[in-house]
Structures are given as structure tokens and as C-alpha cells.
């Protein structure tokens, strides 16, 4: 399969429009037309990972953390990033990064952590906001299915696990065209009445342009009447963190023991007492301290994240058990998920794709 196909796979799972504005996700190195047979999945792209990729004759590295954040001063061995880019290009290895978009996806980083900890039916801790628009368009009845299908193809009409969601209401539209018009029905300079359907579909903000363009392509009117409404609804398909329940109440001591094993952590930092009982658990892989209030608001007994500073531990006192289990530790759980999803997708397409997860830790932090 081609690199462009793999790009499509990630776009459908963790679309790049869900990434944070200042992030740099997607294809970092490579030609989209190149064939890919062998993929290596890693959290970070460091020289040791590139060496492993060369040794394994890999065509593509999929990393969580993007290599390119700031442009390197040169693509040469005079700087660390340039040197890695040079090695990748010389060895014809592509690099694709899925970062905050993977944090925001169902089955992404935080869901992987939730599953690794045995949380039941995890859901988003903070569903994405301000990302949905309602598109309402007025269509003559016999054209409504075609218009709805075109909008759905462009990404409209997805609500949770349901797609092609529409609402259709019958009504009467009126118009009078100028002498320069060629109306779909009636004549110019005459007031016309026509039976129409008001077709409504929800659209992610990033897909609005595409949905409107697709709708206009198949809509029979010379001048299409449509409305766009900004919605306050949280987006149920994307968000940050995850929350779910353990099958039974356990002590913080039992939970931390389970956590250390699940994320390969030598030690974890926490507030509260080892004897406290917990069942409802919130998680956010990587640095997620800013979700502390969400976790408290969602009545979680305990919140696992990373990169926690001193003061949030004080803020948590008496309200929630706050645990810092390490950045690499809480994120690396997603690597096998990326690999297995890629394998399943490729085999469903009847393609041979070898996908391996690096066994090397790229964690630069050690405990002593
Ligand atoms: Zn990270």
C-alpha cells in the first residue's frame, strides 16, 4: 500500500484538524506515492529509533511526538534534528506523527491508558467544545437524498457512533429571481412557491467548507439557500482524557501497584493516602494537569496524568487523589494500539503490512 493510504487511515481515526493549533502533526518526511510494507511504531524519534528502523528495513516510522516542531537551521549533521532528517531521507524511511490528534481520539492515548488500567466503558473526560456547526439547507424533495449523501461523504452527519444523521422538515419556499436568473422552477421576475425540505446535518467545523462545496455540487438550485449555526454542543467523538470505573472499589495502594505494572513505572508521585478507597478513575496520558477540575467535577476518586507541578497536588487535597505516573509511561500504552489498529485495517484491505512496536524505551527520564 502507499504512504497516502496510511495517511488516510490516521485521518479517519485521529483527524489532523483535532490537533492543537500549534502542534505539527501528519507526514513529516516522505513521498505519499511510496509503497509501505514495514512500519515501526515509537513514541519519540531519537537516533536509536532511526538505527532500529534501518536495521529492520522499515519504510515508515509512526511516532507520537512529532520530530519537527520548530524548523531546523539546516538539514545536515550540524544539528540533532537535521541529522535525523538526513538519516531518514538517506535510508528512504518516511515519518508520520500523530500527536494531540491521537490524544483527542477515541481509542487514542487516554483510552489506551484507561483500558490498560481495567477501567470499564471509558468515555471522554472533557469532550471537545466549539467544534460543531449545524448546516441547514433548503432542497426540493426529489433531490434531498442526493444532497444528504454528498454532505455525508464530506464528513457531515456524524453523531457519536451514528453516521448519516439528518433531520428533514417539509415546508414552502418562495423566491423571485431577477431578469438575469434561470430559476430551477418558474420564471424570472415572478414570485414562485416551491415545496422544499429543510435538511439539517451536524458538521465538524473543519469540514464545513468541504460539506458546503459538496452540497452545492449536487444541489439543483442556481442560488442555494443554506444556514450555518455555531453550536454549543460538546463533540462526542473527540476530546481530552478519559474516565471510567474499576469493576470494584480498591485501595490507592492496590491501584498504584496495578498502575506501575501497567505503565512500566519504577515509581509514581501521588497526593492523598494509600489506604483511601477508589473506584471512579480519570486519566490523561501525558501532561494533563489542566484537566484536574474536570476530573473533580466528574466525581473521579483519582486522576492519573503526568508532568504535574507542585501546586496542583495541594489543589487536589481532600478532593481527589492526584497521581503523576510519568509522561513516557502514561503515553507508551498507545503504541500497541496503533500497531494493532494498523494491522487490522491493512488485513481487512487484504494488504500485507508488517507493523512492529519498538521494544526500546525512549524515556529520557530515569528514577534513582
Ligand atoms: Zn507526550
Amino acid at each position: 500500500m502507499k504512504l497516502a493510504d496510511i495517511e488516510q487511515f490516521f485521518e479517519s481515526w485521529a483527524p489532523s484538524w483535532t490537533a492543537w493549533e500549534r502542534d505539527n502533526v501528519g507526514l513529516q518526511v516522505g513521498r505519499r506515492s511510496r509503497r509501505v510494507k514495514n512500519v515501526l511504531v515509537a513514541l519519540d524519534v531519537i537516533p536509536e529509533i532511526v538505527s532500529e528502523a534501518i536495521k529492520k528495513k522499515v519504510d515508515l516510522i509512526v511516532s507520537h511526538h512529532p520530530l519537527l516542531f520548530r524548523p531546523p537551521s539546516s538539514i545536515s549533521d550540524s544539528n540533532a534534528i537535521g541529522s535525523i532528517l538526513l538519516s531518514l531521507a538517506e535510508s528512504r524511511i518516511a515519518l508520520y506523527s500523530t500527536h494531540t490528534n491521537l490524544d483527542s481520539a477515541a481509542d487514542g492515548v487516554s483510552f489506551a491508558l484507561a483500558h490498560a488500567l481495567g477501567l470499564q466503558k471509558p468515555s471522554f473526560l472533557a469532550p471537545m467544545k466549539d467544534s460543531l456547526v449545524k448546516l441547514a439547507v433548503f432542497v426540493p424533495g426529489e433531490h434531498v437524498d442526493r444532497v444528504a449523501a454528498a454532505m455525508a461523504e464530506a464528513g457531515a452527519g456524524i453523531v457519536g457512533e451514528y453516521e448519516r444523521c439528518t433531520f428533514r422538515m417539509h415546508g414552502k419556499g418562495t423566491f423571485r429571481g431577477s431578469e438575469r436568473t434561470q430559476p430551477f422552477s418558474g420564471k424570472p421576475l415572478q414570485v414562485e412557491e416551491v415545496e422544499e425540505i429543510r435538511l439539517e446535518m451536524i458538521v465538524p467545523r473543519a469540514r464545513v467548507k468541504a460539506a458546503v462545496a459538496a452540497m452545492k455540487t449536487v444541489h439543483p438550485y442556481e442560488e442555494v439557500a443554506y444556514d450555518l449555526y455555531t453550536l454549543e454542543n460538546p463533540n462526542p467523538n473527540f476530546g481530552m482524557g478519559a474516565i471510567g470505573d474499576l469493576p470494584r472499589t480498591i485501595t490507592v495502594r492496590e491501584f498504584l501497584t496495578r498502575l506501575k505494572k501497567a505503565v512500566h513505572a519504577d515509581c509514581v508521585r501521588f497526593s492523598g493516602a494509600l489506604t483511601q478507597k477508589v473506584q471512579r478513575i480519570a486519566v490523561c496520558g501525558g501532561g494533563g494537569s489542566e484537566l484536574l477540575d474536570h476530573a473533580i467535577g466528574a466525581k473521579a476518586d483519582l486522576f492519573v496524568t503526568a508532568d504535574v507541578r507542585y501546586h496542583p497536588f495541594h489543589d487536589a487535597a481532600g478532593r481527589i487523589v492526584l497521581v503523576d505516573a510519568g509522561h513516557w509511561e502514561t503515553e507508551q500504552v498507545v503504541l500497541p494500539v496503533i500497531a494493532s489498529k494498523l494491522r487490522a485495517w491493512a488485513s481487512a484491505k487484504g494488504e500485507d503490512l508488517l507493523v512492529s512496536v519498538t521494544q526500546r524505551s525512549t524515556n529520557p527520564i530515569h528514577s534513582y
Side-chain angles (χ1 to χ4, degrees):
M1 69 176 49
K2 295 203 173 108
L3 186 50
D5 299 321
I6 293 184
E7 202 175 18
Q8 272 307 311
F9 159 78
F10 280 109
E11 271 304 312
S12 61
W13 175 22
S16 45
W17 66 263
T18 62
W20 288 359
E21 215 173 328
R22 275 178 291 171
D23 204 355
N24 183 30
V25 300
L27 190 60
Q28 310 250 301
V29 178
R31 279 186 211 282
R32 291 184 167 83
S33 56
R34 280 288 312 274
R35 281 196 74 76
V36 175
K37 286 186 170 171
N38 192 350
V39 182
L40 179 66
V41 182
L43 207 67
D44 306 281
V45 188
I46 58 172
E48 290 83 352
I49 294 295
V50 179
S51 304
E52 182 181 346
I54 294 170
K55 213 163 142 195
K56 287 182 168 169
K57 295 192 173 24
V58 152
D59 311 296
L60 167 69
I61 297 173
V62 173
S63 76
H64 179 51
H65 294 133
L67 178 67
L68 292 168
F69 251 172
R70 276 167 248 99
S73 52
S74 66
I75 302 175
S76 69
D77 54 5
S78 63
N79 67 82
I81 303 293
S83 185
I84 290 175
L85 289 171
L86 202 55
S87 300
L88 291 172
E90 285 169 347
S91 314
R92 298 162 74 89
I93 297 171
L95 171 62
Y96 186 92
S97 299
T98 175
H99 187 214
T100 48
N101 48 335
L102 191 62
D103 293 332
S104 309
D107 288 338
V109 176
S110 293
F111 278 69
L113 182 56
H115 289 303
L117 294 171
L119 304 189
Q120 295 175 322
K121 293 190 182 154
S123 58
F124 284 112
L125 179 58
M128 190 179 278
K129 279 192 171 160
D130 303 323
S131 70
L132 291 173
V133 168
K134 176 66 68 77
L135 172 51
V137 56
F138 304 88
V139 197
E142 66 273 26
H143 291 267
V144 74
D145 287 335
R146 220 169 142 225
V147 172
M151 282 162 59
E153 275 306 306
I158 299 174
V159 180
E161 287 298 311
Y162 294 84
E163 45 182 45
R164 300 197 172 238
C165 304
T166 66
F167 183 77
R168 302 159 187 221
M169 196 161 61
H170 287 270
K172 194 174 277 181
T174 65
F175 55 84
R176 182 171 71 183
S178 75
E179 68 273 15
R180 294 184 296 279
T181 58
Q182 291 176 307
F184 169 73
S185 66
K187 294 195 176 97
L189 300 173
Q190 276 181 20
V191 177
E192 299 291 340
E193 275 190 11
V194 56
E195 293 295 324
E196 287 177 337
I197 288 171
R198 176 191 165 97
L199 171 69
E200 293 184 11
M201 290 175 93
I202 213 161
V203 196
R205 185 175 294 285
R207 302 299 305 161
V208 166
K209 247 178 148 175
V212 169
M215 173 266 284
K216 283 185 172 175
T217 318
V218 295
H219 199 293
Y221 284 1
E222 189 176 31
E223 199 72 60
V224 180
Y226 66 94
D227 302 325
L228 291 170
Y229 304 91
T230 298
L231 300 181
E232 295 279 326
N233 313 33
N235 189 329
N237 300 315
F238 303 101
M240 294 300 290
I243 186 161
D245 291 325
L246 293 166
R248 60 181 180 88
T249 303
I250 59 175
T251 62
V252 169
R253 185 194 301 275
E254 281 176 274
F255 179 79
L256 295 184
T257 306
R258 175 190 289 205
L259 170 66
K260 283 169 67 175
K261 203 169 161 204
V263 303
H264 310 297
D266 296 328
C267 67
V268 296
R269 300 186 305 142
F270 74 102
S271 64
L274 288 172
T275 48
Q276 266 175 267
K277 296 274 177 54
V278 292
Q279 182 166 26
R280 188 153 177 75
I281 310 291
V283 300
C284 181
S289 299
E290 74 277 11
L291 293 180
L292 178 60
D293 286 340
H294 278 91
I296 293 168
K299 304 219 177 329
D301 303 315
L302 183 149
F303 179 36
V304 182
T305 186
D307 305 346
V308 183
R309 291 153 64 113
Y310 177 77
H311 292 291
F313 283 110
H314 267 309
D315 296 342
R319 303 202 285 168
I320 194 167
V321 176
L322 178 58
V323 183
D324 183 335
H327 193 114
W328 178 88
E329 289 84 349
T330 55
E331 288 189 338
Q332 51 78 33
V333 284
V334 80
L335 301 182
V337 179
I338 296 175
S340 67
K341 275 189 167 266
L342 249 180
R343 277 186 214 115
W345 168 78
S347 86
K349 286 171 84 79
E351 298 269 359
D352 265 342
L353 188 68
L354 199 64
V355 188
S356 58
V357 174
T358 182
Q359 295 308 303
R360 176 183 294 276
S361 164
T362 58
N363 190 359
I365 304 167
H366 306 289
S367 311
Y368 177 70

